[in-house]
Amino acid sequence: MAKSNAVSRLEERITPLICGLGYEVWNISFEKEGTELYFRVEIDSEAGISLDDCTRVSDLLDPILDEDPPTEESYRLEVSSAGVERELKKPRHIEAYAGSGTEVEISLYAPRDGKKKLRGEIAEYNEKDDVLSLLTESGTLNIPRSECAKIKTLFDFGEFN
């Protein structure tokens, strides 16, 4: 679901307040799943995110959203951590992971050499041209972000089994 003006306005209003609590706003979205609408706020912090952190942000947002809701329809507020496997939606997200050695998976709108999913590490990101360089097992690929349906980090959970 595309961001409405109300959601964009709310994002501008609440981001400084959340940052004032010491958190980074990773993403804000308004999505429909089945018959339910969700106003989702993903937060991050160098110290990690706990349930208490999510509650703190939710408590901050409740009165603001009561006064200025993202829609007149009924919706649910969800505040969560961006997670260890997180979607890289904004240029600043991609820039943060460029050169980090973190493995990512890119889902493409159209196949490239017969593949709709690519794995590798983001070597660099050219924000001006909106192109990322992906180091893969078969070499470096330059991929315009407009070709990417989804970019997400990958985490090896095998270390914890």
Side-chain angles (χ1 to χ4, degrees):
M1 177 179 280
K3 267 192 189 165
S4 70
N5 288 339
V7 174
S8 295
R9 186 184 72 253
L10 275 170
E11 182 172 12
E12 288 178 18
R13 182 175 175 195
I14 66 178
T15 296
L17 300 173
I18 294 169
C19 292
L21 293 177
Y23 306 110
E24 176 187 356
V25 175
W26 188 260
N27 192 46
I28 294 177
S29 62
F30 189 62
E31 301 170 1
K32 185 171 186 166
E33 289 184 8
T35 59
E36 300 286 332
L37 288 172
Y38 293 90
F39 185 70
R40 292 190 167 118
V41 179
E42 295 174 14
I43 57 174
D44 198 16
S45 138
E46 286 187 22
I49 297 297
S50 69
L51 184 57
D52 288 340
D53 296 319
C54 294
T55 301
R56 189 172 176 209
V57 171
S58 182
D59 289 346
L60 169 79
L61 296 179
D62 275 336
I64 295 167
L65 295 174
D66 285 345
E67 174 188 307
D68 187 13
T71 182
E72 292 181 15
E73 297 177 66
S74 178
Y75 68 94
R76 296 176 190 265
L77 169 63
E78 276 187 4
V79 177
S80 66
S81 163
V84 292
E85 289 196 335
R86 58 185 63 190
E87 194 168 350
L88 308 180
K89 292 184 175 186
K90 301 176 182 180
R92 69 181 171 86
H93 297 158
I94 298 167
E95 185 66 40
Y97 281 90
S100 72
T102 301
E103 188 175 22
V104 299
E105 179 179 82
I106 299 176
S107 299
L108 301 169
Y109 288 113
R112 193 182 255 233
D113 296 326
K115 297 179 180 179
K116 281 198 74 169
K117 290 195 179 202
L118 304 170
R119 282 187 173 203
E121 298 173 6
I122 300 171
E124 57 186 315
Y125 174 62
N126 179 329
E127 187 172 356
K128 180 179 174 240
D129 296 328
D130 209 14
V131 173
L132 58 98
S133 296
L134 186 71
L135 294 174
T136 69
E137 290 180 353
S138 56
T140 302
L141 302 172
N142 291 317
I143 306 167
R145 200 161 60 101
S146 61
E147 294 180 13
C148 302
K150 185 176 189 178
I151 305 169
K152 72 173 191 170
T153 62
L154 298 175
F155 183 78
D156 182 6
F157 289 97
E159 299 173 14
F160 298 98
N161 289 335

